Amino acid sequence: MGDDEPAVPETPTNEIADEPVDLIDELKPMYTSPAPFLARFLPQSAPTYLGLRAPYCDLHAFLKYLHEIAWHGYIHASLGDQSAYVLVFEGRTVAAAAASATGEQALGEMLNLYEQGADISAHPLSHTLAHVLSGVGSRAWKFNLTEDFTGLHARPSGAIFYARGEIVATMPATLPYEGAFPAPLRPQTLILPRSLAGWAHHTYSPTLRGRDAVNPITDIHLSFKAKYGPPGIGLMKAILQNLTPAEYAMREDLALHEIEPLLQDFSKTGYLREG
């Protein structure tokens, strides 16, 4: 069995449910001896979606769909001996890992693999497990168990999943040393790198009409607000502050696919300058 070959999924029903459980789940790792930290601690879970591949499935549309249904789980892209793993929390991509990258760069690697013909599978997790795993990145930290600690405690003897200071699961996946991956209180959405979403890393210049759109005393503001609502007002104000869409998305914890249609419409309707 290869390093990235999934084991036979054995997903207990209480692993996917979000209701509290009295017993501590003993999870089994999905992948055998993978190098990236995130992949090492992903639990077995039968795929909800399997065999997704370009050009039959638009990956951007699929990620948008997962966002709309507030899905929790992880996505695995595999092409030959290359793999990338992306964790999804509340429908947002919040952690990613590939052979030599983590975070945004690894998310970009997954999209690159997909465009080259990689197969995609998506495996569900409970809200709790997805939150615990959201802090797994490129390095482990010194473990300090507090009464509200949420995250992963990895040891040579196995891993312990904590939620709000309580053990919720264990897994026989190890590190050669003791370390912790604390989960953020609110996992932040990963933003695609410039190489894959250049439009999101540019600044945009509003026209006079665009400036009037956020001026409450103008008629244009009333029509703009009626059409785009608070999301449109917020984005236009960010543009006036010289923020890029990526910076605005990071600040407001938004996904780029929520911003791109607004930006395109602003350009078509004369709120932004051409070029």
Side-chain angles (χ1 to χ4, degrees):
M1 185 178 291
D3 281 354
D4 292 316
E5 185 177 347
V8 177
E10 297 178 6
T11 307
T13 55
N14 64 358
E15 182 185 320
I16 303 304
D18 282 332
E19 292 79 9
V21 292
D22 295 326
L23 300 177
I24 296 173
D25 284 337
E26 295 183 3
L27 307 176
K28 295 183 179 180
M30 185 66 166
Y31 303 99
T32 57
S33 303
F37 286 157
L38 177 62
R40 189 174 307 193
F41 301 109
L42 293 174
Q44 287 185 10
S45 172
T48 303
Y49 306 97
L50 183 66
L52 304 180
R53 182 184 296 180
Y56 309 107
C57 174
D58 183 331
L59 184 56
H60 292 280
F62 179 61
L63 292 175
K64 183 177 181 180
Y65 167 72
L66 295 182
H67 183 267
E68 290 172 349
I69 64 173
W71 190 78
H72 298 84
Y74 58 89
I75 300 171
H76 177 219
S78 176
L79 181 64
D81 59 355
Q82 301 179 78
S83 283
Y85 312 83
V86 174
L87 183 73
V88 180
F89 178 78
E90 296 179 347
R92 300 176 295 112
T93 54
V94 297
S100 58
T102 59
E104 286 89 351
Q105 296 301 321
L107 176 60
E109 180 65 18
M110 185 194 75
L111 293 177
N112 282 330
L113 289 176
Y114 186 75
E115 291 172 356
Q116 294 172 37
D119 284 326
I120 296 284
S121 59
H123 307 258
L125 294 175
S126 68
H127 177 280
T128 298
L129 290 183
H131 189 194
V132 169
L133 289 165
S134 67
V136 180
S138 59
R139 60 169 293 185
W141 302 84
K142 182 178 179 180
F143 179 63
N144 180 27
L145 178 60
T146 60
E147 63 180 13
D148 60 349
F149 176 78
T150 295
L152 189 73
H153 177 204
R155 307 162 300 161
S157 58
I160 302 175
F161 292 63
Y162 283 91
R164 297 175 296 279
E166 300 291 333
I167 297 175
V168 294
T170 61
M171 179 186 286
T174 65
L175 287 181
Y177 49 85
E178 182 179 19
F181 299 94
L185 183 63
R186 170 69 175 171
Q188 193 168 46
T189 305
L190 295 178
I191 300 299
L192 285 173
R194 182 184 297 271
S195 60
L196 292 172
W199 64 268
H201 297 269
H202 294 307
T203 55
Y204 293 82
S205 300
T207 60
L208 180 59
R209 177 179 170 84
R211 293 179 182 277
D212 285 346
V214 294
N215 185 343
I217 66 172
T218 65
D219 292 336
I220 290 177
H221 172 75
L222 295 176
S223 60
F224 184 88
K225 184 178 180 180
K227 182 175 182 179
Y228 299 109
I233 295 289
L235 177 57
M236 185 58 75
K237 285 183 176 179
I239 291 171
L240 285 165
Q241 294 168 6
N242 212 34
L243 293 179
T244 67
E247 290 169 336
Y248 177 64
M250 291 287 287
R251 189 181 75 180
E252 300 297 323
D253 195 22
L254 298 171
L256 289 184
H257 60 246
E258 297 177 85
I259 295 175
E260 188 174 16
L262 286 173
L263 203 63
Q264 291 174 342
D265 209 49
F266 289 176
S267 295
K268 291 177 183 176
T269 50
Y271 292 108
L272 298 178
R273 298 186 190 281
E274 292 292 332

